[in-house]
């Protein structure tokens, strides 16, 4: 059984910072791209940032220069450092990993359960 577990969400004031973590566990032979998404009630889930196995990153325009994605392949973990937060960043944040389970021939997407980030004074 493969699981992705996020942590680090919470309440933060505008202009503040927060660091999200997501760790994958279970029988995993390889992890390809890891990513963070976010979703506000009534809206579609949107891509925030991605990081490839080799370290290449991409960001949504709305978070460029404010958010930084990183990963630790040895720990099977991905992180999202968020700074200069605004109320518009309030959402449930989800991590996703494109990975290959042990004994499998193909890659599949797995999602975490989400962590709430609220930016408010």
């Amino acid at each position: 059984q493969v699981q992705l577990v996020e942590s680090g969400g919470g309440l933060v004031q505008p202009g503040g910072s927060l660091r999200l973590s997501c760790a994958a566990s279970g029988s995993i032979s390889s992890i390809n791209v890891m990513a963070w998404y976010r979703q506000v009630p009534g809206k579609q889930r949107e891509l925030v940032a991605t990081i490839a196995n080799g370290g290449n990153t991409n960001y949504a325009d709305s978070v460029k220069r404010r958010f930084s994605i990183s990963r630790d392949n040895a720990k099977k973990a991905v992180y999202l450092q968020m700074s200069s937060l605004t109320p518009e960043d309030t959402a449930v944040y989800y991590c996703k990993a494109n990975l290959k389970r042990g004994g499998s021939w193909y890659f599949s997407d797995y999602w975490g359960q989400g962590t709430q980030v609220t930016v408010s004074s």
Side-chain angles (χ1 to χ4, degrees):
Q1 187 79 0
V2 172
Q3 277 191 315
L4 271 66
V5 179
E6 299 107 333
S7 61
L11 174 64
V12 62
Q13 291 189 338
S17 299
L18 212 56
R19 186 178 189 243
L20 304 182
S21 300
C22 172
S25 63
S27 177
I28 299 169
S29 63
S30 180
I31 302 179
N32 191 8
V33 176
M34 303 185 83
W36 287 96
Y37 287 73
R38 65 186 181 187
Q39 188 170 24
V40 174
K43 292 190 176 182
Q44 282 193 331
R45 193 171 295 187
E46 66 169 350
L47 178 64
V48 174
T50 66
I51 183 166
N53 194 354
N56 288 338
T57 60
N58 281 290
Y59 297 91
D61 288 343
S62 59
V63 306
K64 278 181 182 176
R65 292 176 294 280
R66 299 190 300 121
F67 290 12
S68 178
I69 189 171
S70 60
R71 65 191 283 173
D72 185 330
N73 290 332
K75 295 182 178 179
K76 298 185 179 66
V78 62
Y79 309 97
L80 187 67
Q81 179 66 47
M82 305 183 293
S83 60
S84 301
L85 286 162
T86 74
E88 287 68 38
D89 295 314
T90 295
V92 177
Y93 284 72
Y94 298 89
C95 70
K96 186 182 81 170
N98 182 249
L99 59 85
K100 187 161 60 175
R101 295 178 61 178
S104 176
W105 290 95
Y106 53 89
F107 285 84
S108 298
D109 288 338
Y110 288 81
W111 291 87
Q113 81 288 352
T115 185
Q116 177 71 46
V117 172
T118 302
V119 185
S120 174
S121 55

